[in-house]
Amino acid sequence: MSIFREYGESGVHVMGGVITQKNADYCTVRIRLPAGVVTVDQIRGLARIAKTYGDGTLHVTTRQTFEIPNVKPSTLEKLDLALKKNGTPIGAEFTEVVNVTACPGTLRCKYANIDSVELAKKIDEKYFRKELSIRVRIAISSCPNSCVASWESDIGIIGIQKPIRNPTLCSGCGTCVAYCKEHALTVRQGTVKLDHGLCNTCGNCIETCHYHVIKGEPLGYQIMVGGSHGRTPHVGRYLVSVSSEEALMVVIDGIIEWIRRYARSGSRFRAQIEEEGFDEFKAFVLKKADSSSFVAIENKRLISDTE
């Protein structure tokens, strides 16, 4: 059986990205747009398509994509072809992996640790519309600022960098202290001290050190699971941090496989993890992961606040 949802003779009419409106004579069509990146030419194309098949408007969604409202179901096949030609195919909103969101990452953001946009495209290519029993939302933030609410997604990915300090070289100028939002840095006896229990590995202090005394471990990926918003909001639980993109993909494979095997419809991912047992879930997800890729996190607040 294919791991991707098959639509058979019903075709485009029953795709997750085709959403019946309150007036059932019309539907809204959601677009597949990983990381919300769209070219000017594609936007022009969407404008023309919305005029031809919708009411001439586009709706910007919370998951970084567009919807074309007030589409007549009889035009869906032609609309589908037009969207594919435009490079903006129909998206998903069914029990499947839906549009993958991401912040601008290293393309533009000065706080970024990872290239969140390219990672979103890779995850989209591998997992988008994978057939599952529940809807799965994946969000990628390039640093702990979590600008795309990775903490509140079924699978949240956050770029991190753990600082390495050399107290013997520190001048105690305190510049890094002023930039630390977690108050993990203090000046004591002329030297800056780091409280690992408060540090959230954002890496800001590495960039702000004028004397380049603070170095950083290789970039890492912090993975959260079971977050949600809407009518049952929850902050996700900390699962693991890994040191490479390859290791990250192995962990995501494990999460998706657990969902495919054990998740049931009608209940949020978070609730099912807790009901089945988080430790059992974690053991299943990480069984194929290389433990040497795990990054140690001393931040007790991060771990305890999400249990």
Side-chain angles (χ1 to χ4, degrees):
M1 184 183 70
S2 171
I3 63 171
F4 296 97
R5 190 170 298 283
E6 299 292 342
Y7 294 101
E9 295 180 359
S10 298
V12 66
H13 292 81
V14 294
M15 292 177 72
V18 177
I19 306 166
T20 302
Q21 296 183 181
K22 189 168 187 176
N23 178 350
D25 291 335
Y26 295 92
C27 59
T28 292
V29 176
R30 186 165 294 180
I31 308 304
R32 177 182 182 179
L33 208 64
V37 177
V38 59
T39 68
V40 171
D41 288 338
Q42 286 173 327
I43 290 179
R44 290 193 181 105
L46 285 172
R48 289 192 297 269
I49 292 168
K51 283 185 177 181
T52 302
Y53 300 101
D55 63 1
T57 66
L58 290 167
H59 173 234
V60 181
T61 76
T62 59
R63 295 204 61 78
Q64 299 183 330
T65 187
F66 290 103
E67 291 177 339
I68 302 174
N70 296 314
V71 174
K72 293 182 178 180
S74 61
T75 67
L76 281 172
E77 286 85 356
K78 291 181 179 180
L79 171 62
D80 181 36
L81 292 174
L83 288 172
K84 287 177 179 176
K85 186 176 180 180
N86 193 53
T88 52
I90 293 177
E93 187 55 22
F94 199 49
T95 53
E96 50 203 347
V97 176
V98 300
N99 203 59
V100 180
T101 63
C103 68
T106 52
L107 291 176
R108 289 184 279 120
C109 182
K110 63 183 179 181
Y111 299 115
N113 290 318
I114 61 173
D115 188 344
S116 51
V117 171
E118 283 304 309
L119 179 57
K121 291 178 180 178
K122 290 179 182 177
I123 291 175
D124 168 87
E125 183 178 2
K126 186 170 185 180
Y127 302 105
F128 183 82
R129 199 176 282 135
K130 189 167 185 179
E131 183 175 4
L132 300 167
S133 56
I134 59 174
R135 182 185 301 122
V136 176
R137 299 175 176 89
I138 301 175
I140 307 167
S141 300
S142 61
C143 79
N145 284 341
S146 192
C147 291
V148 290
S150 297
W151 287 73
E152 298 164 9
S153 295
D154 297 297
I155 302 174
I157 301 162
I158 301 170
I160 58 173
Q161 188 169 37
K162 192 174 180 180
I164 303 173
R165 308 187 62 79
N166 188 335
T168 61
L169 298 177
C170 180
S171 69
C173 72
T175 301
C176 58
V177 176
Y179 280 91
C180 181
K181 296 180 179 180
E182 307 305 314
H183 306 293
L185 298 170
T186 54
V187 178
R188 297 178 185 174
Q189 299 178 339
T191 302
V192 175
K193 303 293 184 181
L194 172 64
D195 185 338
H196 289 280
L198 294 177
C199 176
N200 71 349
T201 60
C202 70
N204 283 356
C205 60
I206 300 169
E207 300 294 330
T208 59
C209 180
H210 294 309
Y211 304 102
H212 307 293
V213 172
I214 309 173
K215 304 300 180 181
E217 289 187 358
L219 298 175
Y221 303 81
Q222 178 181 301
I223 306 169
M224 313 295 296
V225 292
S228 63
H229 49 81
R231 64 193 303 164
T232 54
H234 283 289
V235 172
R237 288 192 64 169
Y238 174 72
L239 179 66
V240 70
S241 296
V242 294
S243 59
S244 70
E245 190 175 292
E246 292 75 19
L248 169 68
M249 297 302 282
V250 171
V251 175
I252 297 176
D253 277 340
I255 296 172
I256 297 296
E257 179 63 15
W258 188 93
I259 294 172
R260 190 185 70 82
R261 287 195 181 193
Y262 302 113
R264 62 190 182 280
S265 60
S267 178
R268 294 299 294 263
F269 182 39
R270 162 85 178 211
Q272 297 191 51
I273 292 174
E274 301 302 332
E275 289 171 7
E276 296 297 325
F278 184 79
D279 291 340
E280 290 77 6
F281 164 80
K282 183 175 181 178
F284 179 93
V285 167
L286 301 183
K287 65 182 180 182
K288 293 183 179 179
D290 182 359
S291 60
S292 66
S293 69
F294 296 170
V295 177
I297 296 292
E298 289 94 354
N299 190 328
K300 302 300 188 295
R301 186 173 60 183
L302 167 66
I303 298 173
S304 62
D305 283 359
T306 57
E307 287 182 347

